[in-house]
Amino acid sequence: MGHAILDETTRATVFRFLQEAQGLGTLEELNVRFKDAVAALGFTGAVYIRLSADGHALPPRPVFGEAAPDGWVDHYFAHNYARFDTAIPMSFQSRDPFTWSEAAARGMEKGTRTLFGEAFEWWNSEVLICPVRGINGGMSIVDLTMDKGRT
């Protein structure tokens, strides 16, 4: 973990996106602005995933952003990978961003190794996971896709 604190350009990009997002009327507009902000930060894609609301865990489904590769979400749920996904508990435990590689290294079970092995294969990239805490026990993450080797 231990990633650098955001620089001024990054803060400005994030702040601008958050300001603009408040006035958008459709999910399509939100996705376009989100994609633009993510690209301005040097990432190849991103998805916002909700993990809990009002203190209750939810299945980790994408809310907006660039969705996973075709078939990945169905594959993830068909194999019940949420039970092996070490990124989920790490998201609740950490205030700092972390990578899929860091989450994969935490897993001792064969299912965790299988999950992340397949994830790296399907996505063909590394992912930076940014925990987002909301009000009333809400928890989400932003998965930022980046070229392998960039951490």
Side-chain angles (χ1 to χ4, degrees):
M1 296 190 218
H3 297 278
I5 294 177
L6 301 178
D7 62 31
E8 288 303 314
T9 302
T10 301
R11 286 176 197 240
T13 301
V14 170
F15 185 71
R16 186 172 46 254
F17 165 74
L18 293 173
Q19 282 186 314
E20 292 173 353
Q22 294 178 48
L24 301 176
T26 68
L27 182 58
E28 184 178 322
E29 290 174 311
L30 179 62
N31 283 332
V32 168
R33 294 292 171 93
F34 189 56
K35 184 177 181 179
D36 290 346
V38 166
L41 295 172
F43 293 96
T44 57
V47 62
Y48 182 92
I49 301 169
R50 196 163 189 189
L51 299 178
S52 73
D54 298 322
H56 301 289
L58 300 171
R61 293 250 184 212
V63 177
F64 65 87
E66 292 185 317
D70 286 342
W72 173 253
V73 173
D74 290 336
H75 179 77
Y76 181 95
F77 284 106
H79 289 84
N80 198 16
Y81 278 155
R83 69 185 167 153
F84 300 112
D85 193 343
T86 51
I88 294 172
M90 285 179 70
S91 297
F92 285 91
Q93 297 163 357
S94 179
R95 295 204 175 273
D96 295 325
F98 58 91
T99 64
W100 268 0
S101 293
E102 292 168 324
R106 285 251 187 120
M108 299 296 161
E109 296 184 47
K110 181 181 179 192
T112 301
R113 289 189 303 275
T114 301
L115 160 65
F116 284 102
E118 290 180 6
F120 285 120
E121 195 173 301
W122 281 61
W123 291 72
N124 195 31
S125 61
E126 177 67 276
V127 172
L128 181 67
I129 300 167
C130 302
V132 179
R133 283 161 177 69
I135 58 171
N136 299 324
M139 181 69 196
S140 301
I141 55 175
V142 175
D143 283 3
L144 297 162
T145 309
M146 55 189 168
D147 294 329
K148 287 184 179 178
R150 178 186 169 201
T151 54

